[in-house]
Amino acid sequence: QKEVEQDPGPLSVPEGAIVSLNCTYSNSAFQYFMWYRQYSRKGPELLMYTYSSGNKEDGRFTAQVDKSSKYISLFIRDSQPSDSATYLCAMSAGNAGNMLTFGGGTRLMVKP
Amino acid sequence: GAGVSQSPRYKVAKRGQDVALRCDPISGHVSLFWYQQALGQGPEFLTYFQNEAQLDKSGLPSDRFFAERPEGSVSTLKIQRTQQEDSAVYLCASSGELGSPYNEQFFGPGTRLTVL
């Protein structure tokens, strides 16, 4: 079993819908939790990061971390066709020099 | 400013050939990471450099994989005697200041390696 599990999708939603993406993990040492977006044939780009448990909001995006349940979520409000991409959760145990452990990615398609 | 660049973007190799993949990190970034991303999967850690020192190579899948960063800037990932299972996208990432609470890793576009 992988350290970080993520539903691969694909997830297809109509434009304007609220999207919920999530990951579960098994390693209690993880402290930093990130969501990356990856367009086809591009490298991942950071959307949001959260330290420890709690919520963080940035525009249409909200990240939630529940360390007690080892569960993290990303919500996208008012989804747009340009949000169509693969969303990767990633985690690390510390700061500099700590490698990221990724989920397998969820492919999201937002239809106009 | 320029981001992380990687070359070549695409590489086709015959099984048994050696390949070299290059990464140019963001100027001044201390940390450099290599990841391997198989088709339909998330990236998996290969190795990490702090300046020219390779501090973690626990993710390298075999002794056919070798990475270096001799002057603490450009890095090369070399794969000897390539096998079909080496086919993947190889991603390079760099991050900046040591000691800050969080260091974002900036990713390059990757090199897509296909071994025939």
Side-chain angles (χ1 to χ4, degrees):
Chain A
Q1 192 173 2
K2 293 188 175 182
E3 276 190 294
V4 181
E5 297 281 354
Q6 186 174 6
D7 188 328
L11 181 61
S12 182
V13 301
E15 184 176 354
I18 296 175
V19 176
S20 173
L21 306 168
N22 53 73
C23 291
T24 58
Y25 65 95
S26 57
N27 188 344
S28 299
F30 290 142
Q31 296 187 72
Y32 292 87
F33 304 89
M34 288 135 278
W35 286 95
Y36 282 82
R37 179 173 61 195
Q38 186 174 28
Y39 291 113
S40 180
R41 300 187 183 274
K42 302 285 187 183
E45 58 175 336
L46 182 68
L47 280 176
M48 300 186 71
Y49 84 89
T50 308
Y51 171 69
S52 194
S53 285
N55 294 358
K56 189 172 184 179
E57 187 173 323
D58 184 2
R60 296 185 295 113
F61 300 90
T62 299
Q64 290 184 349
V65 174
D66 181 348
K67 288 189 72 177
S68 63
S69 301
K70 296 189 176 67
Y71 186 89
I72 72 170
S73 301
L74 177 71
F75 297 94
I76 307 173
R77 290 182 297 280
D78 187 25
S79 56
Q80 303 295 309
S82 58
D83 294 329
S84 298
T86 295
Y87 288 79
L88 298 156
C89 63
M91 309 176 187
S92 78
N95 47 27
N98 279 270
M99 53 103 160
L100 299 177
T101 302
F102 284 86
T106 298
R107 186 172 158 219
L108 172 66
M109 295 181 292
V110 181
K111 297 186 175 179
Chain B
V4 178
S5 61
Q6 293 186 245
S7 61
R9 290 294 314 278
Y10 302 91
K11 176 70 179 176
V12 178
K14 291 183 179 178
R15 190 169 50 139
Q17 281 185 332
D18 298 348
V19 297
L21 313 179
R22 176 187 169 107
C23 172
D24 285 80
I26 293 172
S27 179
H29 274 191
V30 171
S31 300
L32 186 145
F33 302 79
W34 284 97
Y35 293 85
Q36 180 190 58
Q37 186 173 25
L39 186 65
Q41 303 295 316
E44 293 193 356
F45 171 77
L46 293 176
T47 188
Y48 159 65
F49 290 85
Q50 186 180 104
N51 295 309
E52 68 278 5
Q54 188 175 20
L55 298 186
D56 188 346
K57 53 182 181 179
S58 62
L60 295 176
S62 78
D63 58 8
R64 297 186 295 105
F65 287 70
F66 172 77
E68 60 183 5
R69 194 186 184 197
E71 297 179 357
S73 179
V74 171
S75 177
T76 303
L77 176 67
K78 298 179 179 179
I79 309 173
Q80 297 176 325
R81 304 180 304 280
T82 52
Q83 304 295 313
Q84 285 188 323
E85 61 263 28
D86 300 334
S87 296
V89 174
Y90 291 85
L91 294 164
C92 175
S94 69
S95 66
E97 302 170 6
L98 294 176
S100 54
Y102 174 72
N103 283 284
E104 178 182 351
Q105 293 186 25
F106 294 85
F107 283 82
T111 294
R112 182 177 297 271
L113 172 65
T114 303
V115 181
L116 303 177

